[in-house]
Amino acid sequence: MHNQFLYQNTPLLPYQNTENSRSFLQNTYYSLNWPNAEEAAYNNCSRFIYSLEHGDIFLKQSTQAPMEIQPVLSFYGLSHYIKACLLAVDPAYPATVHVLAHGLSTRKKKKQNYSFLSDEVKTQRHGLFGHFSEKMFHVKHLEGFKLNMNDLFMQIPELAYIFSFQTKQFPFHPLKKNEVGLYSLTTQILDDYQMTENRLADFLKQKTNERILIQQSKKNTLLLKISTGIPPAPCRFNILENQWVFSRYKTAEAFYPELLIYYPILYNLSMIARYETEWWYDLLKLAPGKEFSLIKQFLNISTYKIPFLIGEYLNRLAR
């Protein structure tokens, strides 16, 4: 967790002044063919900056707060960051009150033998989760789709070493970039996905909208061409190891951008911290199960991975 100060503070600073943010919003609105782009950028500029600053404050407080309330602070920090991002791609946000709700729901907790890793949240017809999924990442969710906490945790590369310690299975394969700009991936992924090379090539082409193409294979290695510069999901960037990795699991969540992973986990943890205090304090005081280590590391990572991901998203828009 070296560079914590760096990751937590620098990615979003270029956007936190009026001149830069107004120019940034104006350019994104032009690319959307939005009528009166200059006026819309002028009107949204302050709200954009303040949303980023408010997100900063919540996450900074989370680093200083006891673990008991960290999920609440981190969730609201992420929510404000997302609202800033939405202003960049949806100049009329919020157009209706329907997009103001969280967009997810938790199931009633069972008091006995409750396991966070087996818990689920459900997507709702309206709300922030569905709205930013579609507007920012063009991902649509069916109402009532269930998101499993274990499946989501498995998509966070900075948790992989804890999973490997607990289960002896590593959730990711490393990706290595060679001198001609191709990424090498072990052919073990064919067994993981239970696919032939041709089937995997078609699968990745379809799932990533041709952003990941299998260029060739040699020995025990597949060579991938990434057309977007930054590898998309199921590739993840581990900021602790400074390493790109590739998910070994072909679940729906493997193809979600990472912000879509963080939001439901933090939503669920924040609801537990607010309304399921008995289970929450048992977890924190007694550390009874393996999920304690995962949750603690997740909360630690969130405070600087989230600004990193938000900065990465805004920078892609700015290019």
Side-chain angles (χ1 to χ4, degrees):
M1 293 184 194
H2 59 293
N3 291 342
Q4 181 166 347
F5 179 84
L6 174 69
Y7 283 121
Q8 188 176 324
N9 291 277
T10 60
L12 303 175
L13 280 178
Y15 299 94
Q16 294 181 353
N17 68 79
T18 302
E19 185 175 342
N20 284 0
S21 64
R22 189 181 299 166
S23 174
F24 165 71
L25 291 176
Q26 189 171 294
N27 288 336
T28 61
Y29 295 169
Y30 281 142
S31 69
L32 295 170
N33 295 317
W34 191 261
N36 303 316
E38 292 182 23
E39 181 182 351
Y42 179 85
N43 291 336
N44 285 338
C45 180
S46 294
R47 197 151 50 103
F48 173 77
I49 293 173
Y50 295 156
S51 293
L52 290 178
E53 289 184 356
H54 214 41
D56 283 347
I57 291 168
F58 271 110
L59 282 188
K60 184 177 181 181
Q61 288 302 307
S62 180
T63 65
Q64 300 168 3
M67 189 174 170
E68 285 82 350
I69 60 172
Q70 283 180 10
V72 180
L73 296 169
S74 293
F75 175 69
Y76 282 117
L78 174 58
S79 296
H80 285 289
Y81 281 147
I82 286 171
K83 289 171 184 177
C85 291
L86 277 171
L87 284 172
V89 293
D90 182 12
Y93 176 81
T96 72
V97 295
H98 293 308
V99 298
L100 297 177
H102 296 314
L104 296 169
S105 65
T106 56
R107 64 185 182 188
K108 188 175 181 181
K109 304 293 183 293
K110 295 179 180 178
K111 296 299 182 184
Q112 291 188 333
N113 302 320
Y114 169 73
S115 165
F116 179 77
L117 292 179
S118 63
D119 198 9
E120 297 171 333
V121 296
K122 280 186 180 181
T123 57
Q124 300 294 295
R125 180 180 300 179
H126 302 296
L128 183 59
F129 182 67
H131 190 68
F132 88 79
S133 297
E134 185 171 349
K135 289 291 185 179
M136 291 171 58
F137 300 110
H138 312 293
V139 173
K140 292 186 178 182
H141 300 277
L142 295 175
E143 182 182 2
F145 181 75
K146 294 178 181 179
L147 295 164
N148 173 266
M149 295 299 108
N150 186 76
D151 291 345
L152 293 171
F153 266 163
M154 293 286 268
Q155 294 303 323
I156 297 176
E158 294 82 6
L159 301 183
Y161 76 98
I162 299 179
F163 272 116
S164 65
F165 178 82
Q166 293 178 349
T167 67
K168 309 304 178 194
Q169 291 183 318
F170 203 75
F172 297 94
H173 290 302
L175 273 178
K176 297 179 182 177
K177 195 173 185 179
N178 65 20
E179 62 278 1
V180 294
L182 298 177
Y183 289 84
S184 61
L185 175 66
T186 173
T187 52
Q188 175 65 41
I189 196 68
L190 300 175
D191 291 334
D192 295 333
Y193 280 36
Q194 296 183 314
M195 292 180 178
T196 63
E197 183 181 328
N198 288 338
R199 176 72 185 96
L200 180 64
D202 291 339
F203 180 74
L204 291 176
K205 187 185 296 185
Q206 176 199 352
K207 281 286 191 178
T208 66
N209 198 22
E210 299 193 2
R211 288 177 293 171
I212 299 180
L213 300 172
I214 295 180
Q215 200 79 347
Q216 64 181 107
S217 62
K218 50 184 181 181
K219 294 185 179 178
N220 297 321
T221 302
L222 298 175
L223 294 178
L224 307 181
K225 181 181 180 182
I226 311 292
S227 62
T228 50
I230 296 177
C235 307
R236 312 278 186 204
F237 186 68
N238 185 331
I239 58 176
L240 295 182
E241 304 292 338
N242 196 33
Q243 168 77 58
W244 281 100
V245 294
F246 194 101
S247 175
R248 297 182 64 179
Y249 302 99
K250 61 172 192 247
T251 60
E253 292 84 357
F255 293 87
Y256 287 176
E258 213 162 330
L259 288 170
L260 269 68
I261 304 294
Y262 273 81
Y263 187 90
I265 297 175
L266 281 174
Y267 166 76
N268 200 13
L269 284 173
S270 70
M271 295 295 282
I272 290 170
R274 280 180 282 176
Y275 302 117
E276 297 291 338
T277 49
E278 183 180 355
W279 181 85
W280 182 234
Y281 274 80
D282 278 348
L283 177 79
L284 298 180
K285 302 296 184 187
L286 305 176
K290 62 182 181 181
E291 50 203 13
F292 174 81
S293 301
L294 291 164
I295 291 171
K296 184 173 183 178
Q297 173 70 343
F298 171 75
L299 290 172
N300 288 337
I301 287 293
S302 297
T303 56
Y304 57 101
K305 185 68 176 286
I306 288 172
F308 173 83
L309 294 170
I310 294 291
E312 192 179 63
Y313 178 79
L314 293 176
N315 291 340
R316 279 201 300 271
L317 291 179
R319 291 189 187 102

